[in-house]
Amino acid sequence: MRLSGKTALITGAARGLGRACALRFAEEGADLALFDLGGDIDEVPYPLGGADQLEHTAELCRKLGAAVVTATGDIRSQESVARAVEAATDRFGRIDVLVNNAGIVAPSGKDLHEVDEREWAVMLDVNLTGAWRMTKAVVPGMLPRRSGSIINVASTAGLVGYRRFAGYVASKHGLIGLTRAAALDYAPLKIRVNAICPGSVRDDPLVDGRMLVEIARALDVPVQEHEGTFAQGQPANELVEPDDIAAAALWLAGDDSRRVTGAVITVDGGYTVR
């Protein structure tokens, strides 16, 4: 029970890596505040996490013994973010861990000059500025206790470039920069800020994952062949599992990593080593 007595707020918790982290944290004794959009964004060409999926995540966590509060809202809105943080603190009194997981992979699949301003803006607003808003809202509650762990879910796209994904790559590189700068801001106050960079993560149906299939669509990779195609590009010859990312997040959330801040941890089967 490595997170017993801690409260974690996880964004993008309706499905995918957010759900995987929520389940792992629930198994380890955390109280949970789960936040997701509960709707769609016009510029994003695939369905985003729904309110029913968020409640399903919450119910799965409750079955594991966790106390859970949920909130729907848009991380592009500081008011929505403030309501989610308020709901968590009203229920649990504090937030010890923030997992900035909410993110989008499309609109993508275009050369940079083909991306319009709205597509560029929504990518950065969700993937980068959303994490800034969440951190800005949560840190004031951590300061008096001089403790806290903030975990930003970035990507190998924050370390290397990918063709036809300029907005996504820029947003994830920015998120790593935000991680490092915030780590320096808060290190004297014992608030840690770290990033995880997942590689190609399998779309496990248990967590309603769909990120990899959307990347495949953006690259015109046949959906029925996409897992094998992406696995062939990995030095380990296999895809990363959602629970691999959740395990890294668990370590960063707990006290075993208490001297770790400003770190960028890759969980990519060796992809970025090449």
Side-chain angles (χ1 to χ4, degrees):
M1 304 294 283
R2 285 173 281 182
L3 299 184
S4 179
K6 294 184 184 293
T7 296
L9 193 165
I10 302 173
T11 70
R15 67 183 188 205
L17 296 182
R19 181 182 291 178
C21 289
L23 293 173
R24 193 65 181 269
F25 285 18
E27 290 173 343
E28 294 290 343
D31 294 326
L32 296 171
L34 307 179
F35 184 34
D36 212 308
L37 180 61
D40 294 329
I41 295 174
D42 289 343
E43 292 82 4
V44 179
Y46 60 89
L48 299 176
D52 55 340
Q53 292 174 306
L54 182 63
E55 289 304 321
H56 183 57
T57 301
E59 186 56 31
L60 291 173
C61 293
R62 291 184 183 110
K63 289 179 179 178
L64 293 169
V68 183
V69 63
T70 62
T72 57
D74 195 334
I75 60 170
R76 297 177 296 168
S77 162
Q78 196 70 53
E79 291 182 4
S80 289
V81 166
R83 286 195 297 270
V85 172
E86 183 178 6
T89 53
D90 284 351
R91 175 70 181 276
F92 301 117
R94 58 192 285 173
I95 297 170
D96 301 286
V97 180
L98 169 63
V99 181
N100 280 318
N101 168 71
I104 56 176
V105 72
S108 293
K110 299 178 179 181
D111 290 338
L112 187 146
H113 72 280
E114 298 173 322
V115 178
D116 68 37
E117 189 164 344
R118 290 180 62 191
E119 292 170 328
W120 179 267
V122 73
M123 184 67 72
L124 267 65
D125 206 4
V126 173
N127 288 0
L128 176 56
T129 311
W132 168 78
R133 289 190 187 96
M134 291 300 309
T135 302
K136 179 179 173 66
V138 167
V139 162
M142 294 177 170
L143 291 174
R145 301 192 307 275
R146 295 177 64 86
S147 69
S149 176
I150 298 169
I151 302 162
N152 294 324
V153 179
S155 167
T156 54
L159 302 171
V160 299
Y162 289 94
R163 292 184 62 199
R164 313 199 81 197
F165 279 79
Y168 185 72
V169 168
S171 70
K172 293 301 186 178
H173 271 70
L175 186 56
I176 289 176
L178 177 66
T179 298
R180 289 170 168 156
L184 291 175
D185 283 349
Y186 300 121
L189 300 165
K190 310 304 180 187
I191 297 169
R192 301 181 295 112
V193 188
N194 296 287
I196 300 172
C197 290
S200 295
V201 180
R202 186 174 70 88
D203 290 332
D204 189 339
L206 293 177
V207 296
D208 289 341
R210 65 176 301 152
M211 182 72 77
L212 197 61
V213 73
E214 296 303 334
I215 293 173
R217 287 196 177 100
L219 293 174
D220 293 326
V221 173
V223 171
Q224 65 273 19
E225 302 171 7
H226 79 287
E227 286 194 357
T229 299
F230 285 115
Q232 288 174 10
Q234 310 304 309
N237 296 317
E238 59 185 359
L239 298 176
V240 176
E241 296 291 336
D243 197 53
D244 297 328
I245 309 305
L250 171 64
W251 181 68
L252 290 172
D255 294 335
D256 288 345
S257 61
R258 61 187 176 276
R259 298 289 183 266
V260 179
T261 194
V264 178
I265 297 174
T266 56
V267 186
D268 67 353
Y271 182 83
T272 52
V273 176
R274 300 177 302 175

